[in-house]
Amino acid sequence: MATILLNGKPTHTRGELPTVGYATPDFTLTRKDLGEVTNVDLEGKRVLMSLFPSLDTATCAQSVRTFNRLSADLADTILLCVSMDLPFAQSLFCAAEHTDRVVTASAFRHPEFAEAFGVLLVDGPMRGLLARAVVALDENGTVVHTELVRELTDEPDYDAAIHAIRNHHHPCPEDAAFTTE
């Protein structure tokens, strides 16, 4: 359990972020077409996961836009944005914002994801949603960077996340665009 802040007031998460240097926890999420995407589907790709409460908040929306912009030159990295938002709402947001790099996935059917990644908010007004966090994976599914944002209304450390992805790249001949459709 971690203690973070929401507008300066303590709130708690269940579990712990995955450990750097270890394999990502197994997970399943819901794609925009209501099919599933799993950690196995992402094998062989670098993954920058942006986890957050909801695209209906200004900070979450800004973080998706910023990661989309900052990852523009990372053609072999999947920018996976995960929240409890319904897949339809995620798709509408990305279409309206022209976030062409973003692959959205919803944890709304998969509460075990939030616990496995240590981001389930267990108390306070946002309980049941995801805390703001970043998890970066190399192409082997190994965790190379994590950040649990201390104040839920703050943006993540974009530079640290992008730096971690860039510095842990081992080119694969099979690198190709990934889609969750």
Side-chain angles (χ1 to χ4, degrees):
M1 178 180 289
T3 300
I4 61 172
L5 303 173
L6 174 59
N7 295 316
K9 295 181 181 174
T11 189
H12 302 91
T13 64
R14 181 172 301 141
E16 301 294 328
L17 283 176
T19 303
V20 172
Y22 288 87
T24 186
D26 290 338
F27 65 85
T28 300
L29 296 165
T30 302
R31 301 182 315 213
K32 66 182 178 180
D33 67 358
L34 300 180
E36 293 182 339
V37 61
T38 70
N39 55 297
V40 174
D41 298 323
L42 304 173
E43 287 178 358
K45 306 294 177 210
R46 294 182 301 162
V47 180
L48 180 58
M49 299 175 75
S50 176
L51 315 173
F52 49 86
S54 175
L55 287 167
D56 285 332
T57 68
T59 305
C60 297
Q62 184 58 45
S63 71
V64 170
R65 287 189 292 267
T66 301
F67 271 129
N68 184 72
R69 180 178 48 79
L70 292 176
S71 68
D73 67 334
L74 299 173
D76 56 348
T77 298
I78 298 164
L79 175 55
L80 188 64
C81 293
V82 182
S83 68
M84 289 288 194
D85 293 308
L86 292 175
F88 313 114
Q90 292 173 331
S91 291
L92 287 171
F93 173 86
C94 290
E97 295 290 331
H98 307 291
T99 53
D100 58 329
R101 295 269 312 129
V102 173
V103 174
T104 57
S106 178
F108 86 108
R109 289 185 181 155
H110 309 283
E112 69 282 356
F113 171 86
E115 291 192 35
F117 279 75
V119 294
L120 179 65
L121 294 170
V122 295
D123 55 19
M126 304 277 278
R127 74 181 170 274
L129 297 178
L130 306 182
R132 185 173 325 287
V134 177
V135 177
L137 310 174
D138 70 10
E139 54 279 340
N140 299 312
T142 301
V143 178
V144 297
H145 171 79
T146 63
E147 176 192 9
L148 178 63
V149 179
R150 175 101 173 109
E151 167 60 60
L152 197 57
T153 60
D154 288 346
E155 294 178 55
D157 184 342
Y158 302 109
D159 292 338
I162 297 294
H163 179 76
I165 282 288
R166 283 200 171 105
N167 285 344
H168 287 89
H169 177 53
H170 305 287
C172 292
E174 44 287 84
D175 275 351
F178 174 83
T179 181
T180 60
E181 296 186 66

